[in-house]
């Protein structure tokens, strides 16, 4: 797959500053937040790379708010993000998969613009023990001072995001992000400790005979999803599933296809969290020319949240592939 060619060597830091200079009214607040996320990614990458050596793998023996076994690195990654973002004046609220409630850092009603940063610190962390891909997902919203309760400022639909991205700790450490003007990709060069810009204006292929779903849940999928999987297998589609949304969607961003997490018996609303998994990934894929829905005719980015940890069904990927799934969901039982 040929990526849009990059001619000059630019680091993530330089790219952030270049984007800021394009907006004369920019205060630099968002740049500082993106810089904090970059530092966090480097620190988490260093931890992930040495996990087995420093025996930080495995669980801490307690569950997180999701009722999932917390991996030691979940806790470490969460602490890194809370501390780097906490030092940025422009951050009003942070919300994490690992924290039951949003953390209010600055609650002033006047003053310069501030932001809310939501994140899944280590998505797919159960892959750590087997050296599988894991990732950090982040979403940035403007802080809404009009909220009656400060913490409700984070309950905005995904279309309000000002930036979104992920870091994939895989065979290399890749950071993919958007500030609403296309999708850029960076790769960490561990020799110099910098993210190097490798692609801009990324476009997801319009089609690819490839789907990504946990087939183990298939018997409890709603009929429309069963219809789609039957059709895809009759067409000879390939199936790939890493068990980490970031790893699966990075593959689909670069090669095309569709990622599904339907409602299941265990997760009737779907498993993935709207605010810090589905929304940021939906913004990225739409910015790359793809589609992201939670039901036929309903964009994920239009779903109005009422709880920071709410879950949502997810159909994300190439526009043509998402449309095929949507058609199968709408076909009457017949
Ligand atoms: P399952 C990881 O736990 C995660 O939140 C996503 O990253 C991933 O896509 C999904 O859950 C995997 O869930 O039920 O297939 O193991």
């Amino acid at each position: 797959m040929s990526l849009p060619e990059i001619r000059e060597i630019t680091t993530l830091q330089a790219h952030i500053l270049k984007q800021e200079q394009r907006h004369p009214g920019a205060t630099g607040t968002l740049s500082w937040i993106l810089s904090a996320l970059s530092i966090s990614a480097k620190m988490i990458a260093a931890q992930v790379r040495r996990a087995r050596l420093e025996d930080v793998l495995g669980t801490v023996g307690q569950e997180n708010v999701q009722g999932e076994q917390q991996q030691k690195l979940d806790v470490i990654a969460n602490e890194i993000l809370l501390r780097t973002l906490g030092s940025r004046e422009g951050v009003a609220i942070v919300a994490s998969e690992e924290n039951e409630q949003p953390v209010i850092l600055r609650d002033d009603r006047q003053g310069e613009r501030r932001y809310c940063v939501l994140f899944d610190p280590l998505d797919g962390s159960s892959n750590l023990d087997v050296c599988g891909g894991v990732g950090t997902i982040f979403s940035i919203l403007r802080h809404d001072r009009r909220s009656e309760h400060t913490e409700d400022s984070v309950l905005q639909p995904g279309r309000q995001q000002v930036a979104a991205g992920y870091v994939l700790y895989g065979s290399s450490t890749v950071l993919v992000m958007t500030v609403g003007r296309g999708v850029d990709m960076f790769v960490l060069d561990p020799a110099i400790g910098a993210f190097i810009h490798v692609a801009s204006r990324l476009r997801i292929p319009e089609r690819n005979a490839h789907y990504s779903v946990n087939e183990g849940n298939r018997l409890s999928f709603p009929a429309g999803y069963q219809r789609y999987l039957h059709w895809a297998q009759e067409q000879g589609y390939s199936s790939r599933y890493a068990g980490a949304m970031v790893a699966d969607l990075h593959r689909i961003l670069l090669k095309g296809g569709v990622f599904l997490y339907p409602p299941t018996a265990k997760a009737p609303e779907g498993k993935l969290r709207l605010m810090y998994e589905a929304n940021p990934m939906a913004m990225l894929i739409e910015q790359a020319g793809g589609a992201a829905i939670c039901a036929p005719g309903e964009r994920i980015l239009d779903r109005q949240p009422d709880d920071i940890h709410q879950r949502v069904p997810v159909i994300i990927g190439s526009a043509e592939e998402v449309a095929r799934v949507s058609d199968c969901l709408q076909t009457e039982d017949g």
Side-chain angles (χ1 to χ4, degrees):
M1 151 141 203
S2 65
L3 297 174
E5 190 179 334
I6 294 285
R7 293 189 178 286
E8 72 275 6
I9 294 180
T10 305
T11 64
L12 172 58
Q13 209 55 52
H15 177 80
I16 291 170
L17 292 174
K18 199 187 292 184
Q19 296 287 325
E20 181 187 321
Q21 286 163 357
R22 286 185 179 170
H23 293 264
T27 62
T29 305
L30 184 59
S31 299
W32 273 109
I33 293 171
L34 293 172
S35 162
L37 290 166
S38 168
I39 295 168
S40 300
K42 294 176 192 176
M43 294 171 75
I44 295 169
Q47 291 286 337
V48 166
R49 298 274 169 258
R50 294 187 52 80
R52 182 65 76 184
L53 296 172
E54 293 175 10
D55 191 30
V56 293
L57 289 183
T59 65
V60 293
Q62 65 188 30
E63 290 185 344
N64 63 11
V65 295
Q66 318 293 338
E68 295 165 345
Q69 276 300 317
Q70 249 184 343
Q71 303 284 337
K72 291 175 186 172
L73 268 175
D74 279 322
V75 175
I76 292 170
N78 198 44
E79 282 303 308
I80 288 171
L81 282 155
L82 290 172
R83 292 173 61 186
T84 48
L85 290 165
S87 67
R88 295 296 195 261
E89 280 297 313
V91 180
I93 300 176
V94 290
S96 166
E97 181 198 35
E98 301 299 329
N99 294 73
E100 182 135 17
Q101 296 300 330
V103 178
I104 298 171
L105 297 170
R106 297 167 185 87
D107 186 13
D108 52 344
R109 291 282 157 176
Q110 290 76 34
E112 68 168 25
R113 168 168 290 157
R114 297 202 194 284
Y115 295 89
C116 303
V117 184
L118 302 83
F119 52 82
D120 180 355
L122 209 56
D123 171 65
S125 55
S126 55
N127 278 352
L128 280 166
D129 290 1
V130 295
C131 211
V134 294
T136 297
I137 311 174
F138 62 88
S139 166
I140 302 178
L141 296 161
R142 286 186 182 82
H143 176 42
D144 181 356
R145 291 186 168 96
R146 295 164 302 175
S147 307
E148 185 184 351
H149 302 292
T150 304
E151 64 277 11
D152 292 347
S153 169
V154 297
L155 296 179
Q156 301 174 42
R159 63 177 179 269
Q160 302 289 91
Q161 291 173 106
V162 296
Y166 61 80
V167 185
L168 173 58
Y169 311 103
S171 51
S172 58
T173 299
V174 177
L175 186 145
V176 175
M177 61 175 263
T178 180
V179 293
R181 290 187 298 278
V183 178
D184 288 278
M185 182 161 79
F186 305 82
V187 176
L188 179 63
D189 181 342
I192 58 173
F195 278 104
I196 304 299
H197 196 197
V198 296
S200 59
R201 298 181 308 285
L202 268 175
R203 303 297 292 172
I204 186 171
E206 287 182 12
R207 68 187 67 79
N208 185 18
H210 165 122
Y211 67 81
S212 184
V213 71
N214 182 341
E215 305 258 11
N217 298 322
R218 177 168 181 169
L219 296 181
S220 66
F221 290 165
Y225 290 95
Q226 307 264 7
R227 253 196 304 280
Y228 168 73
L229 292 175
H230 184 76
W231 172 86
Q233 286 163 8
E234 280 185 330
Q235 304 298 314
Y237 271 46
S238 293
S239 171
R240 292 282 185 281
Y241 193 69
M245 186 186 201
V246 172
D248 285 318
L249 273 171
H250 186 65
R251 183 195 324 107
I252 285 172
L253 171 63
L254 298 187
K255 297 186 181 295
V258 63
F259 174 84
L260 313 170
Y261 206 106
T264 67
K266 287 180 283 187
E269 292 302 312
K271 175 183 180 184
L272 300 177
R273 275 63 57 143
L274 173 62
M275 298 306 292
Y276 42 78
E277 290 178 321
N279 272 341
M281 300 310 273
M283 181 179 184
L284 283 164
I285 294 293
E286 286 199 3
Q287 282 286 316
I293 62 173
C294 44
E298 185 183 5
R299 291 167 72 214
I300 288 173
L301 297 181
D302 289 334
R303 178 64 64 96
Q304 176 60 45
D306 50 35
D307 177 80
I308 186 68
H309 297 300
Q310 80 182 63
R311 301 172 191 266
V312 67
V314 159
I315 304 164
I316 301 183
S318 301
E320 272 191 36
E321 305 302 337
V322 170
R324 281 199 184 93
V325 179
S326 181
D327 290 347
C328 288
L329 296 184
Q330 288 177 295
T331 308
E332 288 305 312
D333 287 335

